[in-house]
Amino acid sequence: MTAEPVTGPGRAAGVTTGVTTGVTDTGIARVRPGECHVWFAGASADLGLLSLLDATERDRYRQFLREQPRALYLTAHALARKVIAAQYGVRPAALRFAAVCKHCAGAHGKPRLVDPPFPLALSLSHSGERVAVALTLGADVGVDLERVGHHQEDLPRSVLSAAEQRTLHAVPEGARDAAFIRYWCRKEAVLKATGDGLLVNPAALTVSPPDAPAQLLAWDDRTGPARPVHLTDLDPGPGYRAAVAVLDHAPRVVTHRVDDVLGPPA
């Protein structure tokens, strides 16, 4: 397999944490062209967050049988609505989203804002007790967040390419789980950004080794992504790994830690 990079590298050192060039009237960072903003928050079971959701999301929330998945879903969707609504001064619950699969046109694809038709791209992720929301202007984005040790039993090593498996085998056993999750975050971020999701075999992608800057090196069944993919590792906090992928142009990545998802009134 070729190891020639087909995308530009992303470095954690290139991520700006909690610093931005402007804020909205509600104090939430404003997303500008050429930027990718990622908000991290702890899962909350605060029922006040339901007021930020629409009727479809509230119905989906009630379908979860266990408290933790319910809290993760609630927090991720409430936070997404909060930060998007702040960009344009609208009510969070008034936003309308659609999800269409690029492979089968089913309603299980990547969420997109359709009303109002703002040029924002959105990606959500959650794991353990944390959520991530990524926003860009005019560029597709994919974010993945994973708790180390959370999915190891569910994710076989076969999701790695042959080159990645060889590299992982050389990692000391005590660090292998964290290295595997680094691989997985990078792959899923790319597949979310392109809209392929897990309908594409993750082993078809080869990303850079866990201790190297994030980069997509090869995509087996393609000559390369149709559009450039810029991949960046993020720091979501101890015990977690995260990565964000943005198509077309290398972004300035800004991360935020959120203590109170409800925050100031909308």
Side-chain angles (χ1 to χ4, degrees), residues 38-62:
V38 183
W39 286 263
F40 294 109
S44 171
D46 185 348
L47 295 181
L49 296 177
L50 286 171
S51 66
L52 303 179
L53 307 188
D54 65 14
T56 300
E57 288 169 321
R58 289 194 293 272
D59 287 343
R60 176 68 178 127
Y61 165 81
R62 296 185 185 100

Side-chain angles (χ1 to χ4, degrees), residues 43 191 232:
L191 292 173
T232 304

Side-chain angles (χ1 to χ4, degrees), residues 158-179:
S158 60
V159 300
L160 303 184
S161 69
E164 291 166 339
Q165 290 189 45
R166 289 193 296 270
T167 299
L168 186 67
H169 184 71
V171 173
E173 187 172 351
R176 203 167 291 166
D177 283 351

Side-chain angles (χ1 to χ4, degrees), residues 69-81:
R70 189 185 304 127
L72 288 167
Y73 177 89
L74 174 63
T75 306
H77 286 255
L79 178 58
R81 286 178 170 274

Side-chain angles (χ1 to χ4, degrees), residues 81-117:
R81 286 178 170 274
K82 186 75 174 178
V83 297
I84 292 173
Q87 306 301 313
Y88 299 99
V90 299
R91 292 186 304 108
L95 300 171
R96 294 291 177 265
F97 297 90
V100 179
C101 174
K102 67 179 286 186
H103 292 277
C104 71
H108 52 263
K110 184 178 180 180
R112 294 188 180 275
L113 186 64
V114 294
D115 185 22

